[in-house]
Amino acid sequence: MSDNTLRSEKWRRLERVIKWTGLSINSFALTIGLKRSENLYQIKKGNNGISRDLAERIHARYPQYSIRWLLSGDEQE
């Protein structure tokens, strides 16, 4: 799997959560406790991955999305 494919997979997982919430990227960032949404946009651009901290923030607010799935894409149990 190429680096571009891996990056886009990370964004697709994050985008799935954001779409489920019905929020904009900026509103979603605020909801999970980020002061700025820049980190999310960097993931979208493929410059960053989903960090453990980000996965934990998302899971704390939306527990139906596991940290494992957010980080690796492994199916939720």
Side-chain angles (χ1 to χ4, degrees), residues 57-72:
R57 287 173 181 263
I58 294 169
H59 177 72
R61 182 72 170 92
Y62 305 103
Q64 64 270 40
Y65 295 102
S66 73
I67 294 169
R68 179 180 174 179
W69 178 78
L70 289 162
L71 291 173
S72 67

Side-chain angles (χ1 to χ4, degrees), residues 22-76:
L23 300 171
S24 69
I25 294 173
N26 293 332
S27 295
F28 179 79
L30 293 173
T31 300
I32 61 170
L34 298 177
K35 293 180 182 177
R36 298 178 34 195
S37 58
E38 182 60 27
N39 187 2
L40 303 181
Y41 284 108
Q42 290 300 322
I43 295 168
K44 183 176 183 178
K45 289 180 183 178
N47 296 331
N48 291 348
I50 299 172
S51 67
R52 177 119 188 132
D53 176 65
L54 180 60
E56 288 172 354
R57 287 173 181 263
I58 294 169
H59 177 72
R61 182 72 170 92
Y62 305 103
Q64 64 270 40
Y65 295 102
S66 73
I67 294 169
R68 179 180 174 179
W69 178 78
L70 289 162
L71 291 173
S72 67
D74 287 343
E75 287 301 316
Q76 300 183 54

